[in-house]
Amino acid sequence: MSDLFSKFDPLIQQREDLLSTGLTDPFNLVMEKVESPTVAICNGRRTILLGTYNYMGMTFDPDVVAAGKKALDEYGSGTTGSRVLNGTYAGHKAVEDALKDFYAMDHAMVFSTGYQANLGIISTIAGKDDYIILDIDSHASIYDGCALGNAQIVPFRHNDVEALEKRLKRVPEGAGKLVVLEGVYSMLGDIAPLKEMVAISKANGAMVLVDEAHSMGFIGENGRGVAEAQGIIDDVDFIIGTFSKSVGTVGGFCVSNHPKFEILRLVCRPYVFTASLPPSVVATAATSIRKLMDGADKRAHLWENSKRLHAGLRQLGFQLGTDEPQSAIIAVIMPDLETGAAMWEALLKEGLYVNLARPPATPANMTLLRCSLCAEHSGDQVEEILGMFAAAGRATGCI
Ligand SMILES: Cc1ncc(COP(=O)(O)O)c(C=O)c1O
């Protein structure tokens, strides 16, 4: 019998080599207690959280928590069914209404995760004879959606407008075309030139889907994302998003103005063949989304945090993923996995949690320490974080 696990041997070896040095496992950290959106207890120590996607700090918002508790009492712990059978409660309709209001769009469809939203929408609208033209650095859920639908995949160089145009022009005449882009790319924290890309896509007869997972709530005047910030949200056919980042819970969605959008509820397999979100989750999401509509002050503070951290890390001598802060994600580029892991552990010992990211999740084989800021980080916390980076950087020889 051939061992189907033998393909993982190189990864198992790499992991064993890394952990044999006595390193704490960076991919198995336990949060023993979570005190707030920005502080948890890890290994018995107070730790500042700088690696969550809790951009707007909604996880402990009193109204959000109260809405979840009320729904748990009134509707129970779960729906035990698909949205198309017994799994659509008043709360599912309420969260879809909140999304329609938030984005000022006609239709909203909620999935159990953002991963499933990409999987479902992409695979359902772009099938076997269609073409999907996508940024090569797209999220795994986008690639998996392409694979599930069996469309022809045409990747183009990251954020390269000319490359997108060239690929679009090579698609056979008359074929269905879907361009898939992200507002913020989560590894380096850079934003897409959506204005140019959407215009070129439309000029070449393509529909456009933008995944705004890392921009919702924060970027754009109303927090609708990069498409709003660049003034082209009405030209985007489908926006994908998640509740697992700025909204502060779990779930995914697609919003659209397409007149036939509602038919997707009957033909989209990752929507039909899975249980719907628990009532407490949709209640927290709806409350959070409605509060995010009035989040201008939080958005302004988050920009301040992002700018201060970016400038401070640069001053310390770290190499960063972008020249200017473009989002709430600041990526610190490490020379290799070993140094990255050592720096990650040194930061943890200082009392700071960041994300260690490595290939294949990262572009160009990079090892990154990904820092994601929260609107609830105080100015003092950001200074404390910079002090920790200075100490850990010197201890590991990174600076
Ligand atoms: C760009 C992008 N899209 C989709 C997702 C999936 O979101 P979820 O956590 O809701 O499955 C992620 C998650 O990290 C993401 O970064």
Side-chain angles (χ1 to χ4, degrees), residues 53 112-116 118 139 141-142 182 184 186 211 213-214 240-245 250-252:
Y53 296 130
S112 299
T113 63
Y115 178 91
Q116 280 163 283
N118 270 329
H139 189 258
S141 56
I142 292 175
E182 292 179 35
V184 171
S186 65
D211 181 334
H214 293 273
I240 295 283
T242 173
F243 298 159
S244 73
K245 308 195 194 300
V250 67

Side-chain angles (χ1 to χ4, degrees), residues 195-368:
K195 190 171 177 159
E196 293 80 1
M197 289 184 155
V198 171
I200 282 169
S201 305
K202 294 277 141 173
N204 285 277
M207 284 189 155
V208 180
L209 178 151
V210 180
D211 181 334
E212 296 270 19
H214 293 273
S215 42
M216 182 195 185
F218 173 38
I219 296 182
E221 195 187 343
N222 299 289
R224 291 175 189 155
V226 178
E228 180 187 36
Q230 297 187 8
I232 45 90
I233 194 161
D234 291 338
D235 300 325
V236 174
D237 297 282
F238 309 97
I239 290 179
I240 295 283
T242 173
F243 298 159
S244 73
K245 308 195 194 300
S246 286
V247 177
T249 176
V250 67
F253 64 86
C254 179
V255 291
S256 174
N257 283 327
H258 196 290
K260 298 180 190 165
F261 186 78
E262 294 297 324
I263 196 63
L264 292 178
R265 292 189 199 270
L266 295 183
V267 292
C268 180
R269 295 167 70 90
Y271 177 84
V272 173
F273 294 103
T274 196
S276 63
L277 287 167
S280 54
V281 168
V282 284
T284 55
T287 307
S288 177
I289 291 162
R290 292 211 178 271
K291 288 196 89 166
L292 288 176
M293 290 188 207
D294 298 318
D297 291 350
K298 278 193 161 199
R299 287 190 262 283
H301 180 66
L302 185 47
W303 272 122
E304 272 173 32
N305 283 348
S306 178
K307 286 179 190 158
R308 176 66 192 120
L309 186 69
H310 191 282
L313 288 173
R314 220 171 169 181
Q315 229 163 14
L316 286 171
F318 288 103
Q319 195 193 346
L320 305 182
T322 56
D323 289 341
E324 299 294 329
Q326 297 184 15
S327 68
I329 301 168
I330 312 284
V332 182
I333 302 173
M334 292 283 107
D336 50 56
L337 179 60
E338 289 69 28
T339 316
M343 179 71 188
W344 178 86
E345 188 173 47
L347 285 171
L348 192 66
K349 287 194 172 137
E350 289 288 325
L352 182 67
Y353 174 79
V354 299
N355 282 327
L356 177 66
R358 43 163 294 173
T362 53
N365 262 329
M366 280 192 261
T367 297
L368 303 171

Side-chain angles (χ1 to χ4, degrees), residues 67-145:
K69 285 181 179 166
K70 185 166 180 282
L72 199 53
D73 284 341
E74 290 178 4
Y75 291 92
S77 58
T79 68
T80 72
S82 158
R83 283 295 303 274
V84 298
L85 297 173
N86 61 304
T88 296
Y89 288 12
H92 296 85
K93 296 313 269 180
V95 74
E96 287 175 345
D97 287 344
L99 282 167
K100 284 190 265 182
D101 291 346
F102 183 89
Y103 283 99
M105 292 219 180
D106 295 339
H107 305 281
M109 191 168 159
V110 165
F111 291 76
S112 299
T113 63
Y115 178 91
Q116 280 163 283
N118 270 329
L119 205 63
I121 296 293
I122 295 173
S123 65
T124 309
I125 60 178
K128 193 168 138 308
D129 299 320
D130 300 319
Y131 284 74
I132 297 174
I133 304 94
L134 81 171
D135 190 294
I136 196 150
D137 288 350
S138 293
H139 189 258
S141 56
I142 292 175
Y143 276 105
D144 292 355

